[in-house]
Amino acid sequence: MTTAGWLVTGAAVALVAGLPYWLPRSVVALRVRIFARVGGEEGIRAPGREVPAAEFKRVYGHPAANGRSRGAALSDLFWYWLSPGPEVHQEHLEPGPRYDDVARTTRQILAGLSRDQWTELVGRCTRRVLDELDGHARVHRVRLRDLMMPVWAEIYYEVVFRAPCPRHVRDLITGNADDVVTALKCTGLRHMDRRARLTAHLRDRLAHDPPPVPLPSSLSEREQAYYLQGTFFNTAVVQMSEAMAHLLLALATHLPVQDRLAGGEEDPDFLDRVVNETLQHFPLFGVAHRITSGEIPRDGREPIPAGSVLLFDYPEYQGSGGDPFDPDRWLNPDTRPSASIPFGVTANRPCPARGFAVLTMRVAAEATLRRFRLESSAEHTRSLPSRGPCLLVPRTGGSWSPVRRRIRLAAMRLADRWAAVPRSLTQLVLGSYMVWDARRQGLCRNYFAASSGGSAPSVVVGR
C-alpha cells in the first residue's frame, strides 16, 4: 500500500473510532438549528441579541408575554407531541376563563395533601417500586428514568383519585408517559394507540368513580380525561421522573457528594442544595415559547412587537453545565446563582409543583440512598436521551468486588458512548420527520383556524 493509501486508511480508522466523541454533538447542534427554524423568522431568542440575559426575567414575566399556542409555528410541534388533548393541556391553554378553571382545579388537587401526606406517599411508592427489583441480583443495572417513572405514576394517580394505583393502570400511565417523552426526545415515533388506552381508562373511571376534587366544569367529559392525562399522567409524571433521574445520576457521578449524604452528616438542608444544584445544571425545560399579546416596552431599546414569538432558553439563561457541581454554593448569597428559574417565573404561569417538588425529590432520593449506593460512568447531559444508565449497589449484603464494578462501569461508559451514535442518527431522522409531520397536520393551526365564537372543534390526531 502506498503512503497515501496508508494515510487515507489511518484517517478513516480515526474517523470511525472517534464517532462516539464527535458525531452525537454534531447531530445535537444540527437538531438545534432545525428546531430553531421551526420557530419561524419571527422567533426572538432570550437570552440573545435582542433580549439579553439581564432582561430575561422582566420580559418573561411581562403581562403581554402571555400567549401560549395561537400564532406560533412551534405550537404545531408541541401539540403533535402532547396529543391527545393538547387543546386542553394546562400549559398550552390561552389566557382566559377556561385556563383559570383548569389551573384552579390543578391547584386544588395538589393542595389536597399536607407536607406529611406528601412525604408518606412518595416514600411508600418509592419503596414499593424498589421492592420489585430482582431480589436475586446483587447489583442492579437500571435506567434511572425507567426506574422512577412507575413511582410517579403511582404517586399522581393517588393524588388525583385518593386511592392506590392498580398495577395495570400504572402500566397504562407509564406506557403513555414513556411514549410522550420518547417522542419529545426524538428517539422513537409516537404510538397513539398506547396513549388512547389510557384515555379510554380515564373516561371509564370518570364515568363510574370520579375523583373527589370536581374537574373543570368548562370541559366536556372527554376533555376532562384529556386534562388529567396531559397535566398529571403526562407532564407531571414525565417531569418528576426526569428530575429524579437527573438527581440520582448526579449523585452517581459525584460520589463525594453521595458519600456525604450517606454518611449521615448533620446538615439537614444539604440534600435540598443538591437538588437545587442538579436543577441548575440540568434544567427540566429546554426552550419555552410565548406569543406576545401586546407590545413589551423596554428602557433604551425598541419595544418587542405584539405577535412576536419569544423563545426562552432555560439552559442558556442558567448557564447550565458551566460551573463545577457544588451544592454548597447555595449557602452563600454571593455565590448562589442569580440566574435560576427551575420552575419558571412567578409572574408567568410557574410550575404548579414548585411548592413541593424539592420536598418530594428529597424523599424519593432518601428512600433510594438508604437501600443502594449509586454508581455510573455515563455521560450526563440535560436531554438525558440514554435514560440514565446506573448501577445500584446494595448497601447491605453481598455485592460485586470493587474491581468487578470498575470493569462493569468502564464497559457501561464504552457502551453508552457507542449507543449514542445510532441514537443520534435516529434522533436526527425521526426528529426531522416529526417536524415535517407536525407541520403537515397543523393541529394547533387548524384548531384555531376552525374555531369561532369561543368554541373550537375537536383535534383529530393521526399516526
Side-chain angles (χ1 to χ4, degrees):
M1 183 180 293
T2 64
T3 301
W6 281 112
L7 290 174
V8 171
T9 301
V13 170
L15 184 67
V16 172
L19 279 176
Y21 300 92
W22 65 266
L23 183 62
R25 290 180 174 84
S26 300
V27 170
V28 168
L30 180 57
R31 289 179 57 234
V32 168
R33 287 198 293 271
I34 292 173
F35 187 77
R37 286 183 64 86
V38 179
E41 296 180 358
E42 78 278 18
I44 299 174
R45 298 195 69 85
R49 181 176 58 83
E50 296 184 60
V51 181
E55 296 184 9
F56 186 97
K57 284 187 178 180
R58 190 175 69 80
V59 172
Y60 201 160
H62 194 278
N66 62 349
R68 294 296 154 157
S69 291
R70 190 170 193 168
L74 275 175
S75 300
D76 281 333
L77 185 56
F78 279 103
W79 280 41
Y80 178 87
W81 279 330
L82 296 174
S83 295
E87 69 275 19
V88 294
H89 194 289
Q90 183 167 332
E91 172 62 15
H92 289 274
L93 279 170
E94 299 299 320
R98 208 177 199 206
Y99 166 76
D100 295 338
D101 195 13
V102 165
R104 181 169 52 251
T105 301
T106 300
R107 290 194 298 269
Q108 289 173 345
I109 291 173
L110 295 175
L113 274 68
S114 66
R115 289 179 64 88
D116 289 343
Q117 288 173 318
W118 274 109
T119 300
E120 188 279 330
L121 173 61
V122 174
R124 169 164 47 86
C125 292
T126 304
R127 290 190 297 271
R128 180 162 50 241
V129 171
L130 294 178
D131 286 342
E132 296 173 4
L133 292 171
D134 180 8
H136 299 290
R138 293 183 177 182
V139 176
H140 305 276
R141 188 179 189 280
V142 301
R143 302 279 177 172
L144 291 170
R145 195 189 79 198
D146 298 347
L147 178 67
M148 288 290 110
M149 196 166 278
V151 173
W152 296 97
E154 289 196 8
I155 290 169
Y156 278 106
Y157 183 92
E158 192 160 334
V159 168
V160 171
F161 291 107
R162 301 296 192 266
C165 181
R167 178 57 183 267
H168 75 281
V169 179
R170 189 184 86 179
D171 292 342
L172 289 176
I173 295 171
T174 55
N176 171 81
D178 180 69
D179 191 69
V180 170
V181 71
T182 297
L184 278 165
K185 295 180 187 300
C186 304
T187 55
L189 292 174
R190 305 178 308 163
H191 298 84
M192 299 309 297
D193 55 340
R194 187 180 303 170
R195 305 184 190 189
R197 286 194 287 271
L198 177 59
T199 306
H201 167 79
L202 291 173
R203 293 192 68 179
D204 182 70
R205 174 70 195 249
L206 293 178
H208 297 95
D209 190 11
V213 175
L215 298 184
S217 58
S218 58
L219 304 183
S220 67
E221 291 181 0
R222 180 179 60 181
E223 288 174 333
Q224 289 178 350
Y226 285 159
Y227 155 68
L228 290 180
Q229 185 166 350
T231 301
F232 291 97
F233 305 130
N234 170 354
T235 297
V237 171
V238 166
Q239 295 285 29
M240 292 307 297
S241 301
E242 290 264 306
M244 282 305 306
H246 281 301
L247 174 59
L248 296 178
L249 191 57
L251 292 172
T253 53
H254 297 84
L255 292 179
V257 174
Q258 184 181 164
D259 291 341
R260 184 173 165 185
L261 287 169
E265 180 178 313
E266 292 298 325
D267 188 351
D269 298 324
F270 181 58
L271 183 49
D272 287 354
R273 298 199 298 276
V274 175
V275 173
N276 289 336
E277 185 72 352
T278 300
L279 294 175
Q280 184 70 19
H281 279 262
F282 310 103
L284 297 179
F285 305 102
V287 176
H289 72 282
R290 300 288 182 262
I291 304 95
T292 58
S293 58
E295 279 194 351
I296 298 181
R298 296 183 295 171
D299 295 336
R301 299 172 65 89
E302 290 293 322
I304 297 174
S308 299
V309 178
L310 297 167
L311 306 176
F312 294 103
D313 190 327
Y314 280 67
E316 179 69 21
Y317 176 65
Q318 294 192 170
S320 303
D323 298 314
F325 192 88
D326 180 16
D328 283 336
R329 64 175 170 156
W330 295 85
L331 282 171
N332 189 336
D334 294 332
T335 58
R336 183 181 302 159
S338 59
S340 183
I341 51 169
F343 304 108
V345 175
T346 302
N348 195 339
R349 295 197 204 179
C351 175
R354 67 191 185 281
F356 56 84
V358 173
L359 165 69
T360 53
M361 289 174 67
R362 182 179 70 227
V363 172
E366 287 172 340
T368 305
L369 290 172
R370 275 194 292 269
R371 192 172 301 191
F372 298 106
R373 175 180 172 84
L374 312 174
E375 297 184 11
S376 180
S377 57
E379 185 177 8
H380 191 177
T381 62
R382 191 206 68 81
S383 59
L384 204 69
S386 64
R387 313 193 313 280
C390 184
L391 295 180
L392 304 184
V393 183
R395 292 195 178 275
T396 59
S399 62
W400 290 342
S401 68
V403 173
R404 187 180 177 189
R405 291 214 303 275
R406 283 196 293 271
I407 293 174
R408 185 63 180 269
L409 288 170
M412 281 177 59
R413 180 170 58 252
L414 183 61
D416 189 57
R417 284 193 178 278
W418 277 102
V421 173
R423 184 175 62 236
S424 298
L425 295 174
T426 298
Q427 288 179 295
L428 180 61
V429 173
L430 297 187
S432 299
Y433 168 78
M434 286 190 283
V435 167
W436 170 82
D437 197 30
R439 294 293 293 272
R440 179 183 65 84
Q441 292 195 37
L443 299 178
C444 178
R445 182 176 68 251
N446 294 335
Y447 176 85
F448 284 105
S451 64
S452 60
S455 61
S458 301
V459 173
V460 179
V461 182
R463 186 172 286 277

